[in-house]
């Protein structure tokens, strides 16, 4: 593997590394944007789409096995336990389906979903731990449900939208909300163990927490809209360190080889920092935001961007060794970006026509989905409505 990597880096020094374009194994088309991340179990891939549908497709061929219609966008990544697959919909419901045929086992109704703003792209992903399913909602509650029956075990009200996904370690549940609070609850009864408030910033005083945290060695890591990434003690909630970047940190940090890997929003930078002190090891500039999380495979870190590209960079050097660009990105790239790099003079990101600007960005086939690597294939969703399977050979 080391010899292959050296050869790969040498090849990339002479080429543009755009050798992934011919490696498309298949793509599965839905009728709306795909922000959720695929999960796999056996021979099937599972994911949701903005077209209100949850899909199961054969990972070898991309052919549909079954689908389930909801009454809202499915921008929640699923979780699997035994024969049940769980996911949330913008209709305010959490669904439990039979993973083999898509039949409904149970449905849990929250008190209603909400959207914070146009950049609130994700719903909370359900987290399965032992016999319970934990799930956050736009109604401000963190719910604990019986995984088999869907019966409510307990709920905890945070007084603001929860779209960050919960994570569990040592019988403690960790999550943040749009009020900028980060919580640790007892998994058994929902009692509060500790609460941490983000610092906030001039333009974003609440310090909203939008996505899930990562846990490693009694430390919990998460980003905020106050431009900071935080490292807290899982036991006490006291801060270990924080660093301020140039913009929102939405993506869940990846912990890999003693480092953290994460992207930022409007500063358009992907970082590698030391997990113990936050010291920046390297920065990788991209053309657009990074909201999805990164994954590691054979010492390469893969992540998607709003520019319609998936990048692969070497974990140690930050050098690009792999890239895939959607067809929509290639087609529409120069409606936003100049030949010299950066935005065209007539493209204004946050002007009066910011809704139209956002629509133009998504015309690139933006990648908000966190990639899944299974074997030598990378799978991810796109704003062009497709789920892609790309060979890493």
């Amino acid at each position: 593997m080391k010899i292959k990597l050296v050869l790969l880096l040498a090849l990339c020094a002479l080429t543009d590394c755009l050798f992934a374009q011919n490696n498309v194994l298949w793509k599965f088309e839905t009728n709306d944007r795909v922000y959720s991340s695929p999960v796999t179990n056996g021979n099937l891939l599972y994911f949701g789409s903005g077209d209100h549908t949850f899909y199961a497709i054969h990972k070898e061929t991309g052919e549909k096995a079954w689908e389930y219609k909801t009454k809202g966008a499915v921008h929640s990544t699923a979780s699997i336990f035994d024969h049940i697959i769980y996911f949330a919909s913008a209709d305010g419901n959490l669904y439990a389906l039979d993973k083999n045929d898509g039949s409904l086992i149970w449905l849990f109704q929250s008190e209603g979903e909400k959207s914070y703003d146009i950049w609130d792209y994700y719903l909370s992903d359900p987290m399965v731990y032992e016999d319970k399913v934990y799930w956050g909602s736009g109604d401000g509650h963190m719910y604990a449900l019986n995984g088999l029956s869907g019966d409510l075990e307990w709920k905890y009200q945070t007084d603001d939208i929860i779209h960050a996904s919960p994570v569990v370690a040592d019988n403690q549940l960790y999550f943040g909300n749009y009020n900028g609070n980060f919580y640790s609850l007892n998994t058994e009864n929902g009692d509060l163990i500790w609460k941490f408030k983000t610092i906030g910033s001039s333009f974003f005083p609440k310090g909203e927490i939008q996505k899930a945290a990562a846990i490693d060695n009694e430390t919990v890591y998460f980003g905020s809209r106050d431009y900071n990434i935080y490292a807290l003690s899982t036991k006490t909630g006291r801060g270990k360190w924080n660093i301020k970047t140039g913009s929102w940190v939405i993506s869940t940090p990846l912990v890999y080889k003693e480092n953290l890997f994460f992207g930022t929003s409007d500063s358009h930078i992907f970082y590698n920092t030391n997990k113990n002190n936050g010291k920046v090891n390297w920065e990788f500039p991209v053309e657009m935001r990074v909201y999805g999380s990164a994954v590691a495979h054979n010492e390469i870190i893969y992540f998607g961007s709003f520019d319609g590209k998936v990048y692969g960079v070497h974990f140690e050097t930050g050098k690009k060794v792999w890239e895939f660009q959607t067809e929509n990105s290639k087609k529409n790239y120069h409606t936003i970006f100049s030949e010299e790099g950066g935005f065209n003079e007539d493209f204004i990101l946050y002007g009066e026509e910011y809704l139209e600007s956002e629509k133009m960005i998504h015309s690139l086939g933006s990648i908000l989905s966190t990639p899944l690597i299974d074997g030598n294939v990378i799978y991810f969703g796109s704003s062009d409505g497709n789920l892609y399977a790309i060979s890493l050979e």
Side-chain angles (χ1 to χ4, degrees):
M1 184 55 64
K2 290 288 186 183
I3 295 174
K4 287 183 180 180
L5 185 59
V6 169
L7 291 173
L8 184 62
L9 289 168
L11 176 64
C12 286
L14 299 173
T15 69
D16 291 331
C17 290
L18 300 181
F19 44 79
Q21 298 304 125
N22 297 323
N23 289 1
V24 179
L25 300 176
W26 52 257
K27 58 182 181 179
F28 179 87
E29 185 176 3
T30 75
N31 295 311
D32 210 321
R33 300 172 184 174
V34 179
Y35 301 154
S36 69
S37 304
V39 298
T40 187
N41 187 270
N43 296 318
L44 296 179
L45 286 171
Y46 305 90
F47 71 101
S49 170
D51 65 6
H52 299 192
T53 307
F54 186 77
Y55 294 93
I57 60 177
H58 295 280
K59 68 182 180 184
E60 296 295 329
T61 63
E63 295 178 351
K64 183 171 65 177
W66 52 260
E67 66 176 46
Y68 187 91
K69 275 285 188 183
T70 75
K71 295 181 180 180
V74 183
H75 294 318
S76 157
T77 296
S79 292
I80 302 173
F81 176 71
D82 196 26
H83 67 293
I84 305 177
I85 188 159
Y86 308 90
F87 67 92
S89 168
D91 62 15
N93 297 323
L94 183 71
Y95 293 84
L97 308 183
D98 187 298
K99 70 176 186 180
N100 298 307
D101 58 18
S103 57
L104 180 66
I105 296 175
W106 55 257
L107 176 153
F108 177 82
Q109 292 181 310
S110 71
E111 295 177 11
E113 259 301 341
K114 295 177 184 177
S115 179
Y116 190 74
D117 55 27
I118 67 166
W119 300 282
D120 180 15
Y121 287 110
Y122 305 98
L123 297 175
S124 177
D125 308 330
M127 169 73 190
V128 183
Y129 180 70
E130 295 182 346
D131 60 346
K132 293 186 180 68
V133 180
Y134 301 94
W135 170 58
S137 170
D139 66 13
H141 285 103
M142 177 58 64
Y143 292 99
L145 310 172
N146 181 288
L148 295 178
S149 67
D151 292 337
L152 179 66
E153 302 274 348
W154 55 257
K155 62 182 179 179
Y156 183 91
Q157 176 58 257
T158 69
D159 297 320
D160 213 330
I161 293 170
I162 305 173
H163 284 164
S165 306
V167 291
V168 175
D170 298 326
N171 296 316
Q172 288 181 236
L173 185 74
Y174 304 92
F175 64 95
N177 74 352
Y178 270 94
N179 207 29
N181 290 316
F182 192 84
Y183 299 85
S184 173
L185 305 183
N186 184 302
T187 56
E188 288 300 313
N189 53 30
D191 287 347
L192 179 68
I193 298 173
W194 53 257
K195 182 170 74 170
F196 175 88
K197 180 70 179 75
T198 56
I199 297 169
S201 65
S202 297
F203 295 106
F204 306 100
K206 291 174 67 174
E208 298 92 333
I209 302 168
Q210 192 162 341
K211 285 199 74 181
I215 296 178
D216 180 73
N217 195 28
E218 297 189 352
T219 304
V220 58
Y221 304 94
F222 62 91
S224 166
R225 286 191 178 189
D226 66 7
Y227 302 3
N228 281 281
I229 186 162
Y230 296 88
L232 311 180
S233 165
T234 57
K235 301 301 181 184
T236 66
R238 298 296 298 272
K240 292 187 174 183
W241 57 260
N242 66 281
I243 60 170
K244 193 165 188 177
T245 69
S247 60
W248 295 355
V249 182
I250 304 300
S251 63
T252 300
L254 166 70
V255 184
Y256 180 71
K257 292 187 181 288
E258 301 301 308
N259 296 310
L260 296 183
F261 299 86
F262 60 93
T264 60
S265 183
D266 293 334
S267 53
H268 306 160
I269 294 174
F270 186 82
Y271 286 91
N272 171 354
T273 69
N274 184 294
K275 73 172 187 178
N276 297 312
N277 55 31
K279 180 182 176 182
V280 176
N281 296 318
W282 51 254
E283 301 176 2
F284 180 82
V286 293
E287 295 286 353
M288 249 296 158
R289 311 171 190 134
V290 177
Y291 275 20
S293 301
V295 293
H297 180 71
N298 292 338
E299 300 190 342
I300 306 300
I301 308 298
Y302 296 90
F303 64 94
S305 169
F306 275 65
D307 62 9
K309 297 179 181 180
V310 178
Y311 297 90
V313 296
H314 186 250
F315 86 97
E316 201 167 41
T317 65
K319 299 292 185 183
K320 182 175 70 174
V321 297
W322 191 92
E323 181 181 296
F324 175 82
Q325 185 176 17
T326 65
E327 291 299 320
N328 277 9
S329 179
K330 288 188 286 185
K331 176 183 175 182
N332 299 322
Y333 209 73
H334 293 299
T335 63
I336 296 175
F337 302 105
S338 68
E339 294 285 354
E340 296 77 25
F343 294 141
N344 289 326
E345 290 184 3
D346 59 351
F347 180 80
I348 302 174
L349 186 57
Y350 298 120
E352 292 183 0
E353 303 297 328
Y354 70 95
L355 293 176
E356 184 60 32
S357 296
E358 203 69 14
K359 189 181 299 183
M360 289 177 65
I361 292 169
H362 284 282
S363 74
L364 301 174
S366 301
I367 313 296
L368 285 75
S369 173
T370 296
L372 166 71
I373 297 179
D374 185 57
N376 282 313
V377 180
I378 185 169
Y379 304 92
F380 53 88
S382 167
S383 287
D384 64 15
N386 289 297
L387 185 81
Y388 288 85
I390 312 294
S391 173
L392 293 176
E393 293 288 352

